[in-house]
């Protein structure tokens, strides 16, 4: 009987196990290994009262096909929800709230006009002059987004427009995020001879389309995780993954057993430890850094939130009492998601922790809840005690796509391709978002099934 070990039961591992079951049929042995007794990894839905609320990922890019297609396959299309069309995001910068700039590429403006309300007059003048300021880019070169943007447009654009967005996507900062991995379209435009950053952004900016970019799930991610686990029908093994070794045509996963194939869907450091006997893989995996974060989900009763989807916080932002604003973002969940609007109460997610600021994640629950409350009072004037609060810590929550990341991934995939019936999947490869994880895990499962055929 064919046996496959899928290591990691986050969305990547669950999707791999589900696809393997569909391809290999009911007789195959599929072992789904995770040291947590809960499936989902960075996807977790908790009940606040009787309202399911996501405390990890809470959305996905619905313009990509993977999630809508997966929901159709699982018979769960009716769970797909869209954010409110009227609730727009805000940026807190310089002690005030501003609309999130529109018409940008991940916060990088194509004209001074789009960020004029966020930056000073000198920065506006600098952006206006950028297109005619001599520019050099070596095709194939990589750089941090922070260095590129600050050099061309000035640091205010980085701190007030780009960092707030990157803090959400990668828990990162523009100085820790590489152009090529984070914005491949921008890198392509630069390589193709864009004459300035403005020109490159204009070339790379996606054409405006109607309809929402994002989707979410009524009931949170939980029903999708449950459906994937049920369909995968895998033997669930709760253990820390030991070393993965090969002898002849067989693979041995320490503590799990001998199998014909392995899909490693672990975060990069855990994958590095499991694959320690393969130095090319282990070295590259071990070099990928992670950022930790914490989410504080709050319920309020008897308060009135503004009709905005959330507030992103500029880096270095202070509260009005002069203390640092600790939260990096607030999602006004019951304004953003219509399906949460009529559940009674208001739901808010406060997010903490950017790359290099891991200490905040270790703070006691009470301190994080208190920080969320104080920051929310300062930012939105909501100075009421929450009626419920849940703290979720995400140690190593998100991999950092530093400059040179695509080369690391190419090396990793070349080294893995040398090892028959071993596949890699996970958020460190081709995008941290759930749709990218689904795509990568599906491809890994397909290659595994093909190799076993
Ligand atoms: C706070 C937060 C908000 C996010 N928001 C969004 C969002 O709105 N939209 C979006 O698209 N993406 C979002 N993301 C990103 C997305 O959720 C993740 O990139 C994705 O879920 C990662 O899935 P994965 O299966 O690759 O990894 P993981 O979810 O990390 O799964 C890996 C699994 O491996 C297990 N594991 C680790 N080490 C070991 C070991 N040694 N032995 C055994 N098991 C082990 C873990 O327990 C875990 O279950 C967010 C991420 C975070 C942290």
């Amino acid at each position: 009987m064919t046996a496959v070990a899928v290591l990691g039961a986050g969305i990547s591992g669950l999707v791999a196990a589900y696809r393997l079951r569909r391809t290999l049929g009911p007789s195959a042995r599929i072992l789904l290994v995770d040291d947590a007794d809960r499936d989902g990894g960075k996807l977790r839905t908790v009940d606040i009262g009787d309202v399911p609320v996501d405390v990890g990922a809470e959305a996905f890019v619905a313009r990509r096909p993977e999630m809508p297609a997966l929901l159709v396959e699982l018979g769960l299309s009716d769970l797909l929800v869209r954010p409110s069309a009227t609730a727009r995001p805000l940026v807190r910068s310089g002690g005030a709230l501003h609309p999130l700039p529109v018409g940008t590429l991940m916060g990088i403006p194509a004209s001074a006009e789009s960020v004029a309300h966020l930056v000073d007059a000198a920065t506006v003048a600098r952006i206006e002059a950028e297109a005619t300021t001599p520019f050099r880019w070596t095709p194939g070169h990589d750089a941090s987004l922070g260095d590129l943007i600050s050099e061309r447009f000035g640091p205010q654009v980085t701190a007030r427009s780009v960092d707030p967005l990157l803090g959400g996507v990668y828990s990162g900062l523009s100085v820790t995020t590489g152009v090529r991995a984070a914005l491949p379209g921008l890198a392509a435009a630069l390589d193709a001879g864009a004459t300035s950053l403005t020109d490159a952004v204009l070339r790379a900016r996606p054409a405006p389309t109607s309809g929402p970019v994002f989707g979410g799930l009524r009931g949170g991610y939980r029903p999708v995780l449950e459906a994937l686990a049920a369909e995968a029908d895998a033997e669930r093994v709760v253990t820390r993954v030991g070393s993965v070794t090969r002898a002849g045509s067989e693979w041995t996963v320490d503590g799990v057993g001998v199998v014909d194939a392995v899909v490693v869907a672990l975060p990069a450091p855990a994958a590095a430890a499991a694959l320690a006997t393969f130095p090319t893989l282990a070295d590259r995996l071990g070099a990928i850094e992670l950022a930790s974060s914490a989410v504080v989900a709050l319920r309020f009763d008897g308060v009135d939130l503004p009709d905005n989807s959330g507030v992103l916080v500029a880096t270095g932002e202070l509260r009005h009492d002069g203390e640092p604003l600790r939260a990096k973002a607030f999602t006004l969940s019951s304004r953003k998601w219509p399906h949460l609007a009529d559940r009674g109460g208001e739901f808010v997610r406060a997010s903490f922790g950017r790359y290099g600021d891991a200490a905040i994640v270790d703070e006691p629950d009470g301190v994080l809840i208190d920080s969320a409350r104080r920051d929310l009072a300062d930012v939105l004037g909501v100075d009421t005690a929450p009626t419920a609060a849940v703290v979720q810590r995400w140690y190593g929550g998100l991999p950092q796509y530093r400059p040179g990341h695509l080369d690391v991934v190419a090396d990793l995939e070349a080294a893995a391709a040398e090892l028959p019936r071993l596949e890699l999947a996970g958020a460190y490869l081709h995008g941290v978002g759930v749709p990218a994880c689904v795509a990568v895990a599906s491809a890994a499962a397909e290659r595994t099934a093909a190799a076993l055929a």
Side-chain angles (χ1 to χ4, degrees):
M1 189 200 303
T2 301
V4 184
V6 177
L7 310 182
I11 189 69
S12 299
L14 281 169
V15 165
Y18 159 68
R19 298 245 177 264
L20 284 165
R21 174 64 67 209
R22 285 191 30 145
T23 320
L24 299 178
S27 64
R29 228 184 136 206
I30 299 172
L31 298 117
L32 183 59
V33 187
D34 199 297
D35 58 358
D37 60 5
R38 172 185 73 78
D39 289 346
K42 307 300 178 331
L43 305 182
R44 183 175 202 192
T45 310
V46 300
D47 292 316
I48 298 187
D50 63 349
V51 182
V53 175
D54 281 319
V55 290
E58 51 116 36
F60 48 85
V61 175
R63 282 200 192 144
R64 285 186 61 137
E66 293 86 354
M67 278 305 287
L70 185 64
L71 293 172
V72 170
E73 279 181 53
L74 296 171
L76 297 177
S77 294
D78 58 334
L79 298 185
L80 178 60
V81 288
R82 303 293 184 165
S84 155
T86 54
R88 309 294 309 157
L90 301 170
V91 180
R92 158 72 183 250
S93 175
L97 291 169
H98 311 269
L100 186 74
V102 291
T104 69
L105 181 68
M106 187 66 100
I108 314 173
S111 71
E113 195 192 342
S114 66
V115 291
H117 59 292
L118 266 187
V119 299
D120 62 18
T123 303
V124 168
R126 198 165 160 179
I127 300 169
E128 282 171 344
E130 197 271 339
T132 52
T133 306
F135 179 64
R136 280 193 54 195
W137 175 267
T138 310
H141 170 67
D142 206 357
S144 83
L145 278 169
D147 288 345
L148 177 65
I149 298 160
S150 294
E151 189 191 317
R152 300 300 295 178
F153 290 153
Q156 288 186 359
V157 173
T158 313
R160 300 181 185 181
S161 185
V162 182
D163 275 348
L165 289 167
L166 290 174
V169 178
Y170 295 100
S171 286
L173 296 165
S174 41
V175 285
T176 64
T177 308
V179 173
R180 303 198 88 80
L183 294 174
L186 184 69
L190 292 166
D191 288 352
T195 53
S196 64
L197 182 55
T198 304
D199 182 30
V201 172
L202 282 169
R203 294 189 197 195
R205 225 172 26 159
T209 51
S210 58
V213 176
F214 294 101
L217 294 157
R218 184 181 287 109
Y221 272 99
R222 180 165 48 205
V224 176
L225 302 175
E226 288 174 350
L228 284 170
E231 294 285 327
D233 194 19
E235 289 171 43
R236 185 65 161 80
V237 183
V238 181
T239 189
R240 192 174 177 76
V241 168
S243 65
V244 176
T245 50
R246 186 165 66 113
S249 63
E250 287 177 338
W251 288 94
T252 300
V253 181
D254 208 21
V256 175
V258 176
V259 290
D260 302 295
V262 183
V263 177
V264 182
L266 299 166
L275 296 167
T277 54
F278 303 99
T280 310
L281 288 175
D283 289 354
R284 306 261 182 317
L285 286 162
I288 296 172
E289 295 174 275
L290 306 176
S292 297
S293 58
V295 171
V296 180
L298 302 162
R299 179 193 164 120
F300 294 95
D301 288 283
V303 303
D304 211 12
L305 294 177
D307 190 23
N308 293 100
S309 58
V311 182
L312 304 175
V313 178
T315 39
E317 187 64 11
L318 300 178
R319 290 198 307 236
H320 291 105
D321 62 7
E323 292 294 313
L325 232 167
R326 309 192 78 208
K328 63 178 176 179
F330 294 98
T331 307
L332 309 185
S333 307
S334 45
R335 299 292 160 149
K336 177 175 179 179
W337 299 110
H339 68 284
L340 289 176
D342 53 4
R343 298 299 303 259
E346 297 276 16
F347 294 88
V348 175
R349 279 167 48 121
S351 302
F352 295 87
R354 297 179 172 103
Y355 176 79
D357 183 21
I360 200 167
V361 179
D362 281 324
E363 293 185 2
D365 284 10
V367 174
L368 285 172
I369 293 167
D370 193 51
S371 294
R373 199 186 149 182
R374 282 166 188 252
D375 286 357
L376 196 61
D378 194 86
V379 170
L380 289 179
V382 174
D383 197 3
T384 308
T387 47
V390 175
V391 176
Q392 173 70 52
R393 294 178 180 77
W394 294 115
Y395 291 103
L398 283 156
Q400 301 301 290
Y401 280 38
R402 281 185 167 272
H405 186 76
L406 292 188
D407 294 335
V408 173
V409 171
D411 288 352
L412 273 173
E413 292 185 329
E418 298 289 313
L419 298 170
R421 299 179 312 289
L422 179 110
E423 292 292 342
L424 301 177
Y428 60 88
L429 285 169
H430 292 286
V432 298
V434 171
C437 292
V438 171
V440 168
S442 298
E446 273 163 31
R447 286 193 300 271
T448 303
L452 288 167

